Amino acid sequence: MIRPFNRARNVGIDLGTANTLIYIAGKGTVLSEPSVVAIDLNTGKLVEAGQEAHRMLGRTPGDIRTVRPLRDGVIADFDAAELMIKSFIEKGNEGRRLMAPRLVVGIPSGVTGVERRALRDAALVGAREVYLIDEPMAAAIGAGLPVTEPVGTMIVDIGGGTTEVAVISLCGVVTCESLRVAGDEFDDAIRRYMKKVHGLLIGERTAEEAKVCLASAFPGDENEALTLEIRGLHLASALPRTVTISSVEIREALGESLAMIVDLIKRTLERTPPELASDIAQRGIMLAGGGARLKGISDLVAHETGIPAHLAENPLECVVLGCARVLEDYGRLSRVLDTQISG
């Protein structure tokens, strides 16, 4: 059980592969920025973090390195992750340092014990206590699902690095499946398609722009006529070139990744006890996470499973809002937290 605490020092963090969101008690969600940092290689100091660092991707001189500290939901660069977390907490608190805050951090459920420890250690810098919560549980709480009741609910959390599907009842995860295919893989699939079909090399930001502007998971009249000019390096001529692509092409590029996510949902349903499966069939499947904002993905899931699928009211913020609600109602929800680490 969590001890009584100073609410002003409570911080919820969705430490995502693509985006990091921070909630501070009494202020709400104060930060939502790309999980990117720019580091001076000569001094090892932070140059920029978040949106400004994201703008530098692929455009830095030799003495500055842009880093995404997390890959597939786990820390790939520990030092960069520490710098990013400290910078984001201070930025979210308007440049002022929070004195020994208590953190609740959402993490993928499929990470190993070593990876959990690394995430804790990175978040522990300057904090008094750190708790971890599995992202599917946090997303379910943030989406307003009745996780404390004896009914089955299914959450599909499509993040930047991982997609996680969980069935939850009575504050516990009954069954959970995780797949390292999500928003980043969507971007990579678009880059592979452009290289294979159009002979064009494009960067991460260009692929992300194409995804945001054109991508859809299910055919729909409103999406079929959309086009976008894509600029990149032509492989044959080694010169810059512009290619016009359609939303149909982007859906084709994402087809394999989306099929893997649908198969993940089906596998989870197959492992679900009958009574809980009946609840899910009646209540539907909830979609959360930044990747769930892909046009038509709820229609695709409903079509492939035969179960209604609903998009959370604020899919990108579900995990951080879940962390916040655990902090606000710790007496009822403390069971969902991982072991505490104190600084």
Side-chain angles (χ1 to χ4, degrees):
M1 179 66 68
I2 305 175
R3 298 186 302 274
F5 51 83
N6 179 349
R7 290 175 58 85
R9 294 180 183 174
N10 289 331
V11 179
I13 302 178
D14 176 8
L15 193 59
T17 302
N19 295 282
T20 294
L21 292 88
I22 293 182
Y23 172 98
I24 295 179
K27 296 184 178 182
T29 303
V30 296
L31 180 136
S32 176
E33 296 206 16
S35 301
V36 184
V37 293
I39 297 174
D40 188 322
L41 295 179
N42 297 320
T43 63
K45 294 183 178 180
L46 185 72
V47 177
E48 291 288 353
Q51 190 62 51
E52 291 302 315
H54 186 261
R55 292 177 58 197
M56 298 179 181
L57 282 171
R59 297 188 171 98
T60 56
D63 60 342
I64 295 178
R65 181 170 65 108
T66 51
V67 183
R68 297 183 65 181
L70 290 96
R71 287 285 179 182
D72 299 328
V74 298
I75 291 180
D77 189 320
F78 185 83
D79 294 335
E82 281 190 346
L83 290 172
M84 183 180 75
I85 293 169
K86 289 175 65 177
S87 172
F88 280 170
I89 291 177
E90 289 183 17
K91 185 185 293 188
N93 200 39
E94 300 173 343
R96 297 188 296 272
R97 182 182 295 274
L98 276 174
M99 297 301 294
R102 174 183 275 106
L103 307 182
V104 172
V105 183
I107 63 168
S109 61
V111 301
T112 66
V114 172
E115 291 166 341
R116 284 176 180 264
R117 184 74 201 191
L119 285 162
R120 282 197 189 102
D121 290 346
L124 194 55
V125 178
R128 175 161 54 103
E129 295 173 354
V130 175
Y131 296 86
L132 303 183
I133 180 173
D134 288 341
E135 285 179 352
M137 178 64 78
I141 295 170
L145 296 179
V147 299
T148 61
E149 298 178 14
V151 295
T153 57
M154 174 174 274
I155 184 79
V156 179
D157 180 24
I158 308 174
T162 59
T163 294
E164 298 183 271
V165 183
V167 175
I168 296 169
S169 178
L170 288 172
C171 280
V173 174
V174 178
T175 183
C176 183
E177 292 275 351
S178 180
L179 179 70
R180 293 190 174 183
V181 172
D184 283 352
E185 176 58 28
F186 295 163
D187 296 343
D188 290 343
I190 292 171
R191 295 174 70 186
R192 291 193 299 269
Y193 180 89
M194 294 302 297
K195 181 179 179 180
K196 178 181 179 181
V197 177
H198 295 284
L200 199 71
L201 289 177
I202 63 174
E204 291 181 32
R205 291 189 62 196
T206 303
E208 184 179 7
E209 180 186 1
K211 178 181 70 176
V212 171
C213 294
L214 297 182
S216 62
F218 199 72
D221 293 340
E222 71 280 6
N223 297 324
E224 303 306 299
L226 297 177
T227 61
L228 181 70
E229 288 188 345
I230 297 291
R231 298 174 180 84
L233 188 66
H234 191 241
L235 286 172
S237 65
L239 294 172
R241 180 169 293 184
T242 300
V243 172
T244 300
I245 61 171
S246 69
S247 57
V248 175
E249 288 185 275
I250 296 299
R251 187 164 64 248
E252 180 183 343
L254 300 182
E256 184 178 348
S257 299
L258 291 170
M260 294 173 70
I261 291 174
V262 169
D263 286 344
L264 183 73
I265 295 171
K266 290 180 177 178
R267 287 201 307 272
T268 308
L269 286 168
E270 289 170 0
R271 296 178 52 202
T272 303
E275 291 294 340
L276 298 182
S278 174
D279 292 338
I280 293 167
Q282 181 180 1
R283 304 174 67 90
I285 299 169
M286 182 65 74
L287 304 178
R293 296 181 298 176
L294 187 69
K295 297 183 185 73
I297 196 164
S298 59
D299 295 327
L300 175 67
V301 171
H303 179 266
E304 294 294 330
T305 63
I307 298 173
H310 315 287
L311 183 64
E313 184 177 348
N314 195 343
L316 183 61
E317 293 191 15
C318 279
V319 171
V320 78
L321 289 176
C323 294
R325 287 171 186 168
V326 171
L327 288 166
E328 292 167 352
D329 193 8
Y330 66 89
R332 190 169 64 99
L333 296 172
S334 60
R335 287 175 52 198
V336 306
L337 295 172
D338 201 349
T339 306
Q340 168 190 336
I341 298 293
S342 300

